[in-house]
Amino acid sequence: MESCPTVKSILLLDSEGKRVAVKYYTDDWSTHSAKLAFEKSVFTKTQKTNARNEAEIVMFDGYIVVYKFIQDLHFFLIGGDDENELILAAVLQGFFDAVGLLLRNNVDKKSALENLDLILLCLDEIVDRGIILETEGSVIAGKVATSGLDSAGSLTEQTISQALATAREHLARSLLK
Amino acid sequence: MAEPLVKKDDDRDDEADYSPFMGIEKGAVLQEARVFNDPQLDARRCSQVITKLLYLLNQGETFTKIEATEVFFAVTKLFQSKDTGLRRMVYLMIKELSPSADEVIIVTSSLMKDMNSKTDMYRANAIRVLCRITDGTLLTQIERYLKQAIVDKNPVVASAALVSGIHLLQTNPEIVKRWSNEVQEAVQSRAALVQFHALALLHQIRQNDRLAVSKLVTSLTRGSVRSPLAQCLLIRYTSQVIRESSVNTQTGERPFLDFLESCLRHKAEMVILEAARAITELSGVTSRELTPAITVLQLFLSSSKPVLRFAAVRTLNKVAMTHPLAVTNCNIDMESLISDQNRSIATLAITTLLKTGNESSVDRLMKQITNFMSDIADEFKIVVVEAIRSLCLKFPLKYRSLMNFLSSILREEGGFEYKKAIVDSIVILIKDIPEAKEGGLFHLCEFIEDCEFTYLSTQILHFLGNEGPKTSDPSKYIRYIYNRVILENATIRASAVSTLAKFGALIDSLKPRIFVLLRRCLYDSDDEVRDRATLYLNMLGGDGLVGETDKDVKEFLFGSLDVPLVNLETSLRNYEASEEPFDISTVPKEVKSQPHAEKKAPGKKPSGLGAPSSGPTSAGDAFEKLLSAIPEFSGFGKLFKSSAPVELTEAETEYAVNVVKHIYDGHVVFQYNCTNTIPEQLLENVTVFVDASEAEEFSEVASKPLKTLPYDSPGQSFVAFEKPEGVPAVGKFSNLLKFIVKEVDPSMGEADEEGVEDEYQLEDFEVVSADYMLKVGVSNFKHAWDNMGADCERVDEYGLGVRESLAEAVSAVINILGMQACEGTDVVPSNARSHTSLLSGVFIGNVKVLARISFGIDGPKQVAMKLAVRSEDQAVSDAIHEIVASG
């Protein structure tokens, strides 16, 4: 446990278990079919649970999976079984919140695919090859938004300022603590 | 929440329609990528194409080498565009493509320009991309910028450089280690995540320097670490320091414990959990140290967040394995978790409760678990069954409710592994708790009435045959067993027939009725079932013939097979159908350790008969055949044991010789396996001259020379000695190889007419007591020990002097005796201060020997042992003691 907390994989699947966007940070699943098989078992093991209000957790095959569902999207974050569950949950929440901000709370498969560039940038800002970069959803969204994709019409000026305002608020709060 | 479901059901086709990637195809997208080469770049269009490419990669599509190179070169053109959004996508794409070294050069300058850009976002991303794709040579060029970036005032840039440093440390440690000053500065950063990344990198740079890590921890635990993530890291490093220093400070306060305890009051839950876990995992943690950690974990148990409840119950479950009492305070909270929506949490709660529960709470617990069992997966159920089994062994008085529980879940649906776990548990409980026997057997009988697993049915029938006749009313089981004969498949019918015979053999009053049932089985459609029925009818005297003696029958039905199954299998394979019936007594009883034989085999040319190719199990057979074919040795009687080959020459010498010691009742035969490794020589008339002056009880009676020994074709020479009958005579033998050498012309392959006499000194070897001992294991040592009785027991104590470790002493004694360790008692747990080994074997003269040895070790590694030997012959028991006394 001397090592840095690491994320093994982040999965964003739809309500049938199909990929929207996935990221693997280790060689635990070396082939494409191994990845698909893992996604399938993650999906089926969590399918019947209600992870819509609070993030849920399951442990199998030596992995901890924390997950959260919204509409027809299933968010998963996978770590090793000796990992601090709350750290993993914090990263998941950051991803979840950031996607919510970026998609202007209209979070479903359709808009996720329409804004896949934002989702991919978002993943890129959360974890770098397994190492956690940022856990605060508003900060992540802010970083993605400053890339100025507004020209593509994905974000209105208002959402960016909203995101920044939330970020500022969070910062203030964390300083007050 | 219901909305998306409705949508999905109503217009399923539409849903597919509004995927922007509908009908996407790799070839077409690669065509589209040509827009990257347009002189007038359309940033938005380019972004869309990159997104499509990334989508394809994300779905598992792969690009060929050529395709990837083409896309890469096209993408590099996009650095011309000033559009920030497009630039982000370009960065992503380059990382996904992971270009080769010669391709990297193309983008290096663009990325280095971005690294020095005024836009923070460009700087941070360019660093991450460049460090990802770079190799060592380029790294020295950009090192200066990276050092600057680590202390950049923008946290995103600093983090990008630090995280890249963590990755680069794996490949280019010497470069990254040069940055430690900058990293140290970054540890003091006000930005939470910069501090986290800097701390992680600093620790990795210094991780092999214990003192430096200790200093780092000391200074940071006093200072203020801002980010919860960094605090978690610090806790991990602290427990590492505690682990390494606790050896030195055996007494007194544990260092840094107050720091860990203060972390339990941190505002971030992840830090509290990390600290609590660190405390519970301290080596040799005391219950006083545990208390504060348990208290915070207990609070987590009633949290509204599943992740928090899971983390707490998982930690407490681990603590319960070592400190069950410390966790009992949480039992009430834990019980409410049995009904938790999250089944992982519920299962962990139950197994924790089963570990910590006391006798009075068992009944209540069982009631709660019963409701819960129906809706969890088999893998969880097995965990619960195993926990219940150990609970039952802990509280034997509660067997009734636990047994009822097991039988009720046995009746429910479940897979093979689950059912097997339950059956195994019931069998163990029946064996350990006598009061549970009748009830347990009855539950098993009920189960086989409707059991879909052949393996479990036969296992239960076998068990029933052994235990059923010893109950107060054996007749009530007959119905269940005979039902199997009527209803089941051939395998189960056959074992049911055997079980019936066992009842018949033990209970005379049931015999007539058993005969009736067995006779019905004579008309079974399956050969095995008919054969068994005929055999048992004859044996038990059911056909009016005089049955065999009672003792023989019981021995046949209940005795364990005294030959290893592998040996029996090889012997049966080798047996050729002929007039002569197969004799089970010819099957070697020796348990050969497979790895031992395999270790010897490689590197050595075939060193004689029966050696490597035929495998270890059949070696005994082959030896016996070989020896009985030699007229000089045919009168020696039955071969008792053949030793493993003992090498008499160094490896890679001119002549390779090893010896196999064959022990007979009144003789020993040494089989010298010789190999000539010189192509230019042919050896003739090879004999071994044995000097037995240090083996007084032996006298040479015969010698069988080897006629010729050509190059690389092994042969055997034999020497036989007479020794006093049945006595384990020992002695040392020195050997000299004598032969006639003839020169061979390797090209022609013809030997000279004339030869020269020569000799070759071989190493000495000994015949030791262990050579007179066959390794024959018994399956149930206690049973065998009790059966043997104390008539010929001899007990004595010995001091073994100073030994390296207890394990070393145990294996030395086992080797001297040459006996088979039973029930895995040859393995000594590490740090054990005492150990008991159970050994069994057959001594020359076919005398069964059992030994129970208790070892003890004290501070200055003085080992003492108490040896208790039981055998069928007092003289043999004494002889075993002799071996130890002289060894």
Side-chain angles (χ1 to χ4, degrees):
Chain A
M1 284 287 276
E2 289 95 66
S3 56
C4 196
T6 36
V7 175
K8 285 180 182 284
S9 168
I10 300 180
L11 310 175
L12 180 56
L13 306 180
D14 71 5
S15 55
E16 287 161 31
K18 293 207 194 76
R19 282 180 179 185
V20 175
V22 298
K23 267 293 190 189
Y24 286 87
Y25 304 105
T26 64
D27 296 331
D28 291 15
W29 307 273
S30 51
T31 62
H32 182 58
S33 53
K35 288 178 178 135
L36 287 180
F38 177 71
E39 283 159 34
K40 185 157 188 263
S41 68
V42 167
F43 182 76
T44 45
K45 276 182 203 299
T46 58
Q47 199 180 7
K48 292 203 188 85
T49 53
N50 179 5
R52 293 185 183 269
N53 299 318
E54 290 286 353
E56 277 288 347
I57 184 165
V58 68
M59 189 168 77
F60 67 92
D61 296 345
Y63 299 107
I64 290 178
V65 181
V66 286
Y67 55 99
K68 202 162 179 183
F69 302 159
I70 184 167
Q71 304 275 28
D72 51 358
L73 282 179
H74 294 199
F75 292 70
F76 300 94
L77 193 112
I78 291 100
D81 65 356
D82 54 354
E83 201 45 83
N84 184 324
E85 297 89 338
L86 299 178
I87 295 182
L88 297 178
V91 182
L92 176 76
Q93 191 64 40
F95 180 36
F96 187 85
D97 291 347
V99 171
L101 284 168
L102 290 167
L103 301 184
R104 281 167 289 168
N105 288 326
N106 180 22
V107 184
D108 59 16
K109 183 186 173 185
K110 174 172 174 276
S111 72
L113 282 174
E114 280 168 355
N115 297 286
L116 188 68
D117 47 353
L118 296 183
I119 305 279
L120 292 173
L121 286 174
C122 186
L123 284 169
D124 185 57
E125 291 293 354
I126 294 171
V127 173
D128 182 292
R129 285 179 276 173
I131 295 180
I132 300 161
L133 278 179
E134 178 58 69
T135 58
E136 194 58 66
S138 52
V139 180
I140 298 164
K143 281 204 234 170
V144 174
T146 49
S147 63
L149 277 178
D150 41 355
S151 60
S154 297
L155 278 177
T156 63
E157 204 58 42
Q158 200 202 349
T159 35
I160 300 169
S161 56
Q162 248 175 11
L164 289 175
T166 347
R168 229 175 280 129
E169 189 190 323
H170 273 283
L171 183 69
R173 217 189 297 154
S174 62
L175 285 176
L176 282 174
K177 272 181 196 170
Chain B
M1 237 178 274
E3 209 178 330
L5 290 176
V6 174
K7 219 190 266 174
K8 202 176 87 181
D9 289 340
D10 280 351
D11 34 24
R12 200 164 235 279
D13 294 335
D14 282 8
E15 189 199 26
D17 275 344
Y18 47 67
S19 164
F21 302 106
M22 177 74 178
I24 190 169
E25 206 255 322
K26 183 171 84 169
V29 180
L30 289 173
Q31 289 285 325
E32 267 189 86
R34 290 191 179 158
V35 296
F36 298 166
N37 296 318
D38 281 357
Q40 290 296 313
L41 282 175
D42 177 348
R44 190 175 166 198
R45 181 92 204 282
C46 292
S47 282
Q48 281 171 350
V49 175
I50 293 185
T51 309
K52 282 185 187 172
L53 288 167
L54 288 170
Y55 173 83
L56 286 173
L57 288 171
N58 218 297
Q59 295 296 321
E61 188 75 70
T62 49
F63 293 164
T64 64
K65 184 77 191 109
I66 298 167
E67 285 166 349
T69 310
E70 267 174 23
V71 171
F72 176 75
F73 279 115
V75 165
T76 57
K77 305 255 167 61
L78 300 179
F79 274 102
Q80 291 166 23
S81 167
K82 294 273 177 289
D83 188 283
T84 48
L86 177 58
R87 186 65 58 85
R88 290 293 304 269
M89 298 311 283
V90 170
Y91 293 141
L92 266 191
M93 195 66 212
I94 294 175
K95 280 200 269 191
E96 280 305 320
L97 288 171
S98 46
S100 60
D102 47 336
E103 293 169 345
V104 168
I105 301 166
I106 315 282
V107 284
T108 307
S109 61
S110 307
L111 285 172
M112 280 173 70
K113 209 173 115 205
D114 283 358
M115 251 174 76
N116 294 296
S117 146
K118 285 198 180 63
T119 318
D120 291 336
M121 190 274 294
Y122 280 179
R123 291 220 303 282
N125 275 289
I127 288 172
R128 284 173 57 199
V129 176
L130 201 51
C131 290
R132 171 105 173 221
I133 61 177
T134 191
D135 59 5
T137 49
L138 184 63
L139 193 57
T140 46
Q141 287 177 48
I142 58 170
E143 189 186 352
R144 187 163 56 93
Y145 304 114
L146 289 177
K147 279 176 159 185
Q148 273 172 20
I150 288 174
V151 289
D152 196 290
K153 61 181 187 303
N154 183 301
V156 183
V157 175
S159 278
L162 288 163
V163 171
S164 299
I166 295 174
H167 295 305
L168 288 169
L169 193 65
Q170 313 299 322
T171 49
N172 296 286
E174 65 295 335
I175 295 178
V176 180
K177 279 179 182 161
R178 292 203 289 259
W179 308 346
S180 51
N181 282 339
E182 285 77 11
V183 179
Q184 192 131 32
E185 198 180 322
V187 171
Q188 306 302 327
S189 165
R190 297 185 63 80
L193 280 139
V194 174
Q195 192 175 41
F196 165 61
H197 294 131
L199 185 56
L201 179 55
L202 192 62
H203 176 262
Q204 282 194 17
I205 290 177
R206 297 188 174 165
Q207 61 183 348
N208 294 322
D209 182 353
R210 278 191 198 184
L211 193 67
V213 172
S214 171
K215 269 187 189 161
L216 178 70
V217 167
T218 313
S219 69
L220 285 175
T221 48
R222 278 195 228 112
S224 58
V225 171
R226 277 172 209 89
S227 112
L229 279 173
Q231 190 82 1
C232 287
L233 271 188
L234 184 57
I235 291 169
R236 289 183 191 188
Y237 303 156
T238 307
S239 39
Q240 183 195 359
V241 171
I242 294 177
R243 225 181 357 261
E244 280 160 4
S245 61
S246 60
V247 188
N248 304 330
T249 50
Q250 284 273 339
T251 52
E253 283 288 290
R254 218 187 269 271
F256 298 114
L257 188 68
D258 48 346
F259 166 71
L260 291 183
E261 278 178 5
S262 73
C263 290
L264 293 176
R265 296 183 291 275
H266 198 276
K267 56 188 179 301
E269 283 160 346
M270 68 168 77
V271 176
I272 301 176
L273 174 68
E274 191 74 43
R277 215 169 254 177
I279 291 175
T280 61
E281 283 168 8
L282 291 173
S283 66
V285 64
T286 64
S287 38
R288 197 171 54 85
E289 288 167 330
L290 270 177
T291 312
I294 302 284
T295 312
V296 295
L297 290 173
Q298 189 177 359
L299 289 176
F300 283 180
L301 287 180
S302 43
S303 160
S304 63
K305 295 179 192 158
V307 177
L308 207 50
R309 295 199 299 274
F310 176 88
V313 74
R314 184 159 84 110
T315 315
L316 290 171
N317 186 290
K318 259 190 205 154
V319 178
M321 291 183 197
T322 49
H323 295 79
L325 281 180
V327 186
T328 41
N329 280 344
C330 311
N331 278 4
I332 293 177
D333 305 85
M334 204 75 87
E335 274 178 38
S336 61
L337 291 183
I338 294 180
S339 52
D340 200 294
Q341 286 287 317
N342 185 315
R343 294 287 118 190
S344 299
I345 295 174
T347 312
L348 283 167
I350 283 189
T351 47
T352 315
L353 282 170
L354 291 175
K355 278 173 206 148
T356 59
N358 51 27
E359 200 149 359
S360 59
S361 66
V362 167
D363 289 316
R364 193 158 40 97
L365 209 52
M366 296 323 289
K367 209 171 279 173
Q368 282 170 300
I369 297 176
T370 315
N371 302 330
F372 153 91
M373 283 302 265
S374 54
D375 50 24
I376 57 170
D378 269 11
E379 56 200 61
F380 289 149
K381 289 181 184 169
I382 293 173
V383 175
V384 173
V385 167
E386 277 162 7
I388 285 177
R389 179 202 307 170
S390 45
L391 186 70
C392 194
L393 294 176
K394 201 162 102 190
F395 303 123
L397 286 176
K398 286 290 167 192
Y399 78 88
R400 206 179 295 275
S401 62
L402 294 167
M403 191 64 101
N404 280 337
F405 174 77
L406 288 176
S407 72
S408 71
I409 56 173
L410 192 55
R411 281 193 293 270
E412 280 159 23
E413 285 294 302
F416 173 71
E417 291 298 329
Y418 173 46
K419 288 290 164 81
K420 184 169 183 305
I422 304 173
V423 170
D424 286 348
S425 299
I426 293 182
V427 167
I428 288 173
L429 296 187
I430 291 175
K431 279 184 179 161
D432 281 39
I433 306 168
E435 301 82 39
K437 182 187 278 183
E438 303 246 338
L441 285 178
F442 188 68
H443 291 314
L444 292 178
C445 285
E446 291 268 282
F447 174 59
I448 54 172
E449 285 282 27
D450 183 24
C451 170
E452 52 185 312
F453 306 108
T454 301
Y455 176 88
L456 290 180
S457 290
T458 51
Q459 191 198 354
I460 290 171
L461 282 168
H462 174 81
F463 184 69
L464 203 55
N466 290 340
E467 298 296 332
K470 298 178 203 158
T471 55
S472 59
D473 181 13
S475 63
K476 69 179 177 191
Y477 299 109
I478 303 293
R479 178 169 64 90
Y480 296 102
I481 303 168
Y482 191 66
N483 277 348
R484 307 277 71 68
V485 178
I486 302 169
L487 299 167
E488 303 280 1
N489 63 40
T491 314
I492 299 176
R493 291 204 302 274
S495 44
V497 167
S498 298
T499 308
L500 284 175
K502 285 179 182 173
F503 275 81
L506 287 184
I507 302 149
D508 283 332
S509 59
L510 283 178
K511 239 181 200 170
R513 284 191 264 168
I514 298 282
F515 288 150
V516 173
L517 296 177
L518 284 179
R519 277 196 203 100
R520 286 188 198 165
C521 302
L522 292 175
Y523 304 103
D524 196 279
S525 59
D526 184 76
D527 293 352
E528 174 73 19
V529 179
R530 285 198 309 273
D531 286 357
R532 285 199 191 194
T534 314
L535 173 70
Y536 293 133
L537 274 173
N538 272 316
M539 234 172 51
L540 299 171
D543 283 344
L545 301 165
V546 183
E548 310 201 13
T549 65
D550 209 30
K551 189 167 179 285
D552 285 349
V553 171
K554 280 183 190 151
E555 183 64 29
F556 180 77
L557 278 171
F558 296 100
S560 57
L561 195 59
D562 58 354
V563 290
L565 278 179
V566 265
N567 296 8
L568 180 61
E569 191 188 336
T570 11
S571 297
L572 281 171
R573 275 180 203 279
N574 293 341
Y575 173 71
E576 286 159 19
S578 64
E579 289 295 296
E580 211 170 298
F582 180 79
D583 183 3
I584 197 161
S585 63
T586 60
V587 178
K589 293 180 179 179
E590 182 95 350
V591 186
K592 285 266 169 69
S593 52
Q594 198 86 16
H596 180 71
E598 276 169 1
K599 209 164 54 193
K600 293 224 149 176
K604 210 175 54 177
K605 299 269 152 58
S607 60
L609 254 195
S613 58
S614 53
T617 45
S618 60
D621 278 357
F623 285 141
E624 177 129 39
K625 248 185 217 161
L626 172 77
L627 292 167
S628 56
I630 301 168
E632 288 93 326
F633 309 146
S634 52
F636 291 174
K638 192 173 148 34
L639 177 64
F640 177 72
K641 177 184 177 176
S642 300
S643 75
V646 182
E647 297 294 335
L648 298 181
T649 51
E650 304 274 318
E652 312 299 321
T653 47
E654 299 98 305
Y655 314 110
V657 181
N658 64 43
V659 66
V660 177
K661 297 172 270 186
H662 301 290
I663 310 289
Y664 290 84
D665 213 22
H667 297 84
V668 289
V669 173
F670 300 135
Q671 173 189 341
Y672 295 90
N673 297 310
C674 312
T675 312
N676 171 11
T677 62
I678 306 174
E680 296 82 16
Q681 285 187 355
L682 171 72
L683 306 188
E684 284 191 349
N685 208 13
V686 183
T687 54
V688 181
F689 177 77
V690 185
D691 175 8
S693 55
E694 285 181 72
E696 289 161 6
E697 290 176 277
F698 294 84
S699 55
E700 190 172 325
V701 288
S703 169
K704 192 173 182 308
L706 177 61
K707 288 253 163 53
T708 59
L709 183 62
Y711 163 64
D712 206 20
S713 155
Q716 298 88 33
S717 171
F718 298 89
V719 181
F721 284 84
E722 201 173 33
K723 67 167 189 63
E725 193 118 339
V727 173
V730 296
K732 190 169 166 186
F733 300 83
S734 47
N735 314 281
L736 189 66
L737 194 66
K738 290 191 169 184
F739 45 84
I740 298 168
V741 188
K742 287 186 174 173
E743 290 292 318
V744 177
D745 181 350
S747 57
M748 306 290 289
E750 279 174 26
D752 288 354
E753 290 291 305
E754 290 297 301
V756 186
E757 272 197 38
D758 200 357
E759 51 187 48
Y760 188 81
Q761 185 66 49
L762 301 175
E763 285 172 30
D764 301 346
F765 70 91
E766 283 180 86
V767 170
V768 293
S769 315
D771 288 327
Y772 298 99
M773 181 70 78
L774 272 183
K775 283 190 179 189
V776 178
V778 290
S779 51
N780 184 339
F781 188 86
K782 190 178 178 303
H783 187 245
W785 181 261
D786 292 342
N787 274 0
M788 187 79 83
D791 304 341
C792 301
E793 187 180 67
R794 200 181 137 189
V795 186
D796 223 334
E797 291 182 15
Y798 301 90
L800 300 181
V802 177
R803 289 286 177 162
E804 213 168 278
S805 68
L806 193 60
E808 188 265 335
V810 169
S811 82
V813 171
I814 293 176
N815 276 338
I816 288 177
L817 291 175
M819 294 170 80
Q820 174 74 32
C822 303
E823 298 165 22
T825 52
D826 51 338
V827 181
V828 183
S830 58
N831 299 330
R833 310 293 299 164
S834 63
H835 181 74
T836 300
S837 288
L838 308 173
L839 308 178
S840 100
V842 172
F843 201 61
I844 188 154
N846 270 332
V847 183
K848 274 187 193 157
V849 184
L850 298 170
R852 186 152 67 182
I853 319 178
S854 310
F855 295 87
I857 188 165
D858 70 356
K861 309 225 161 178
Q862 284 281 352
V863 178
M865 70 170 190
K866 181 175 162 190
L867 170 66
V869 179
R870 285 186 181 184
S871 73
E872 291 155 346
D873 186 346
Q874 182 66 44
V876 172
S877 299
D878 292 342
I880 305 297
H881 277 275
E882 286 295 305
I883 297 174
V884 173
S886 58

